Amino acid sequence: MTKKMLATLPWDKIETIAELGAGTGVFTNFIAQNKREACRVLIIEQDLEMREALQTKFSSFYYGTNAEKLDVLLQRYDLPQVNCIVSGLPFATFSVTLRNEIMEAINRSLKPGGIFVAFQYSLQMRKVLKQHFSEIEIEFVPLNLPPAFVYRCQK
């Protein structure tokens, strides 16, 4: 799943990247290994223990807890709009209100031409993403357990 989502990103052009719902850091590790040295990284993770573990391992990254505050966090850390947002958030479990707040924060935080990439276990987000992005590609990843969809969207 990680390679399907992240391997084709234009790593040589990404100056700032954000990860939403970092969890145990599978995507975070890939980002750390592939980003340019000068690339700034903002990690959003609500779970305190997971966030602290990530902060220990990736101490040069910036951290926050709420995806719906992404744009506020960028301002707090004096970071520009991001080139790319990677999401592991389970949008299907969120209220419509929270989902909309997160999507609005993503829209405000992503540069024009920026990339939003996420995985989901259903096609539920397709309609929502079409409201926010000019280009959307969806790829089914049957070998993931459970099988999932990768959404790659461009602003």
Side-chain angles (χ1 to χ4, degrees):
M1 177 63 74
T2 303
K3 287 182 182 177
K4 287 284 184 190
M5 285 183 60
L6 305 179
T8 62
L9 290 177
W11 291 104
D12 59 326
K13 294 180 174 80
I14 296 175
E15 298 169 353
T16 310
I17 188 169
E19 181 183 1
L20 311 180
T24 59
V26 174
F27 296 156
T28 314
N29 192 53
F30 192 94
I31 291 168
Q33 290 176 0
N34 289 276
K35 73 175 190 67
R36 296 179 322 150
E37 188 174 332
C39 178
R40 294 178 287 177
V41 181
L42 173 61
I43 304 297
I44 307 291
E45 176 51 56
Q46 279 193 329
D47 184 274
L48 178 62
E49 288 181 22
M50 288 184 184
R51 191 174 59 256
E52 287 177 345
L54 292 169
Q55 286 174 306
T56 299
K57 188 171 181 182
F58 306 103
S59 60
S60 66
F61 294 176
Y62 301 90
Y63 291 86
T65 58
N66 297 315
E68 68 273 21
K69 304 286 187 197
L70 176 59
D71 52 331
V72 175
L73 288 164
L74 290 172
Q75 289 175 353
R76 179 187 304 158
Y77 290 123
D78 197 28
L79 296 172
Q81 285 182 304
V82 297
N83 304 98
C84 183
I85 297 173
V86 175
S87 175
L89 295 175
F91 283 104
T93 66
F94 296 161
S95 69
V96 172
T97 301
L98 179 58
R99 190 177 322 138
N100 288 339
E101 288 175 358
I102 293 170
M103 290 309 303
E104 289 299 325
I106 288 169
N107 195 39
R108 289 188 300 267
S109 302
L110 195 59
K111 285 183 178 182
I115 297 168
F116 173 72
V117 62
F119 78 92
Q120 298 290 289
Y121 298 113
S122 74
L123 292 172
Q124 175 185 355
M125 285 298 291
R126 180 173 40 189
K127 190 181 277 187
V128 173
L129 293 171
K130 283 185 178 186
Q131 296 170 356
H132 294 275
F133 296 100
S134 58
E135 295 179 33
I136 299 174
E137 295 175 12
I138 302 171
E139 182 179 359
F140 182 58
V141 185
L143 298 180
N144 191 64
L145 292 175
F149 294 91
V150 171
Y151 292 84
R152 185 182 172 113
C153 310
Q154 189 159 12
K155 183 174 176 183

